[in-house]
Structures are given as C-alpha cells and as structure tokens.
Amino acid sequence: MSTHLATLVLVPEQSLLTDEVRALIGSETPAGTVQVTPRGWRHAVEVYTGRVPAETPAPGESVSGYAIAALETENGGTSRIPDLMPNSLLIANQWEFERPLRMGETLTASSRIVDITERFGGRFGYSIDFRTESVYRDATGAVVARGGITMTQYDAARRAFRRGCWMTVDSSSIHEGDELPLLHIQPSLGMVIRFCALQWTFPVFFYDADAARAAGLPGTIVPGPLKVGLLYRAVDEWLGGAGWIRQVRAAHRRPDPTNSPIDIAGRVARVYEEGGKRRADLELAIINQEGQPSVRGFAVVEFH
C-alpha cells in the first residue's frame, strides 16, 4: 500500500467560479503610498536572517529586498479576495525587483487580482485559486518592484484522507551547473511568530497545532512568504556584495512543520548578458528532513 496521502475529491454541486467572481479578475485596489523605513527594514532582516543589523543604511542607499515584506504589510494586497470557501493557504509567491529598494523612499502601491481558477483533485480536493499582484512605483511612475501571491481556498471538512560556509562569490568564475552551498535552517515557532508580527497577520494554523490539524495540515507550519524570504537569504548570502537579486519566486509543494530542519539548495542554471549586464538564473529548492523538496524556487541575480 502506498504511504502517500490520497484525497477523495468532493465537488460542490455548482461551480463556485461564477460570472460575478470572474468579474473580479483585473480589479485593482486604490493606489496608496508605502515607505521603506529603517524600522521595517531592520525588522524584516531580523525575521529572515536571525541577525540584528549593526548599522542602518543612510537615506537613499540601496537596501536588501527583505524590505518588500514590510511594504506588503502596509499595502494589504489580498484584501479584495472574496471568501468562497472556509479554509485558505498560500501555495506560491514571488518577489521581483527592477532595481534595489532605497532607504527612505516613498512608493505608490497598487494591487490587483490577476487570475481566478478552480481545481479538481490534488491535496486540497476541490479548490479555488486566486493569483494577485502588487506593484510598487517611484515618483516618476517607474515600476520598482512587484510582489505576487497565489492563495488557494478549500474546505477541509469536505476532504476524506486515507493512508497510502559563506564567501562572496566571484562573478567572473560563475558557470552553469555551479552549486550554491547548502543553507541549513530549523525554522522555530518563535521565528514564525516574529514573521506574523512583521506582516501583522496571525492565521491560527501557524501557531495552534489543533487548529492546523482541523484545517487538514499536519500541524503548525512555516508560512509560505517566510520560506520565499529564506530562499532570498540563501541567494543573498551566496552573492555577498557581488550583485543584487532581481527576482525570487517559490512554488510550494508540501508544508514544512515548524521546528523541523530544512536545507536550502541551489544551482546556477544559466549565465548570460542582458541589457549590458551579466546575470544568472538560479534553480532553488527547500529540502525537508525526509529528503523531499517542499519548495521549488527560482531566482535571477545581476552582477555588479
């Protein structure tokens, strides 16, 4: 008998993806302003790296992309998603940068629903997926960064289960196939709670084991946006001062329980020139203690 979890799909009599719901595709939240602040940047760096920065960049200086997590909190990009089903979970997200964020800058933020789809089968049975995008623009209207998430909504009650060391990289020596050093992390419940405080959102299944199991999860889990930030950390520590991260994204394959060790692995998939700049595409993965990939990731870096 297979040891994998198999799901009995229970489908509602009528599709929840009605014309009224489809009409939400393309709808935007009113534009507002967000700011890259020392407090938000320091808090984000502490959450993702576990280190308190010794110094704060001066106004106008480039800062690490972790700061986008604080901007997403201010922007509230998922507020327009309707509650069609009782349970929800993030299944994919990405950060993308046109240039590094700068300390103290004020950006105009807007968000929109990019797509809504329904799924049949899989881990959640019948589910509805919402893909949203937040866009951050500077005073000239130029896009500085984008943040994207995909949330799935499902009904846990309608599912039936049966058991079945870092150095600054030398960009001139980077070649396709090179592997990034493994980053070993054990995300604790404390790290998860600090992340929830950074985002100022507290889904109960992140810290209450009984609530997590009621939602069909194995127990308390590491939030998806926290994991994309850990992918960013692995690339950032490998890259050092040799360049900056243009994009990082993640597809979440299975949950990672809190307090369980994970390894973040990566390899250089492609090195190329674009727009007069030397860049590299990276393939990334988070590997759980059973040796299974829980996250498949991708990043683009640009060398100085």
Side-chain angles (χ1 to χ4, degrees):
M1 176 182 290
S2 171
T3 59
H4 292 85
L5 288 176
T7 306
L8 177 63
V9 182
L10 300 177
V11 181
E13 294 182 1
Q14 293 183 334
S15 171
L16 299 181
L17 196 52
T18 63
D19 290 342
E20 182 180 5
V21 173
R22 291 180 189 275
L24 295 174
I25 298 174
S27 61
E28 292 194 14
T29 58
T33 58
V34 295
Q35 186 177 27
V36 181
T37 64
R39 182 179 180 276
W41 174 78
R42 290 173 64 87
H43 192 177
V45 171
E46 183 179 0
V47 165
Y48 287 110
T49 70
R51 299 188 298 269
V52 178
E55 298 181 353
T56 300
E61 287 188 356
S62 297
V63 300
S64 53
Y66 302 123
I68 196 174
L71 299 183
E72 289 175 335
T73 303
E74 296 181 51
N75 186 36
T78 63
S79 59
R80 294 180 63 90
I81 295 179
D83 294 323
L84 302 182
M85 304 187 77
N87 303 103
S88 64
L89 196 66
L90 182 142
I91 59 172
N93 59 314
Q94 73 178 66
W95 297 342
E96 183 174 353
F97 304 92
E98 296 298 327
R99 64 161 172 80
L101 299 172
R102 296 167 185 158
M103 180 58 71
E105 71 176 335
T106 297
L107 303 172
T108 299
S110 62
S111 62
R112 66 188 181 97
I113 296 178
V114 178
D115 198 14
I116 307 173
T117 57
E118 60 184 346
R119 301 172 64 183
F120 300 88
R123 177 157 47 105
F124 299 104
Y126 176 78
S127 60
I128 302 288
D129 291 353
F130 295 85
R131 184 161 64 91
T132 67
E133 180 185 60
S134 297
V135 180
Y136 304 91
R137 293 180 170 86
D138 63 18
T140 70
V143 175
V144 175
R146 297 180 179 86
I149 68 169
T150 302
M151 299 289 298
T152 190
Q153 293 187 5
Y154 63 101
D155 188 345
R158 293 179 62 88
R159 299 193 306 163
F161 289 107
R162 62 182 184 273
R163 282 290 176 184
C165 119
W166 300 102
M167 296 175 63
T168 299
V169 67
D170 179 0
S171 62
S172 64
S173 65
I174 295 298
H175 300 94
E176 294 179 7
D178 287 352
E179 293 189 355
L180 279 63
L182 283 176
L183 177 61
H184 306 278
I185 305 175
Q186 187 166 332
S188 65
L189 184 58
M191 174 185 278
V192 170
I193 292 174
R194 288 194 298 273
F195 169 79
C196 290
L198 171 66
Q199 296 273 289
W200 204 246
T201 179
F202 298 89
V204 67
F205 49 75
F206 286 151
Y207 56 87
D208 186 313
D210 290 338
R213 284 189 284 269
L217 300 169
T220 58
I221 61 171
V222 182
L226 176 55
K227 290 195 283 189
V228 79
L230 295 178
L231 292 179
Y232 184 103
R233 172 183 168 183
V235 176
D236 190 48
E237 294 189 359
W238 166 75
L239 190 60
W244 61 286
I245 302 168
R246 293 189 61 93
Q247 179 186 149
V248 60
R249 65 174 185 255
H252 304 280
R253 305 303 189 194
R254 50 178 57 86
D256 284 298
T258 52
N259 299 312
S260 294
I262 57 174
D263 289 330
I264 301 180
R267 62 180 293 274
V268 179
R270 186 165 72 109
V271 180
Y272 56 98
E273 298 283 336
E274 186 171 301
K277 301 291 186 178
R278 193 162 191 259
R279 297 178 180 174
D281 293 346
L282 310 177
E283 295 175 348
L284 307 168
I286 293 180
I287 311 298
N288 63 22
Q289 59 185 338
E290 284 78 37
Q292 300 172 317
S294 62
V295 173
R296 294 289 188 184
F298 174 82
V300 179
V301 300
E302 181 174 296
F303 299 106
H304 294 316

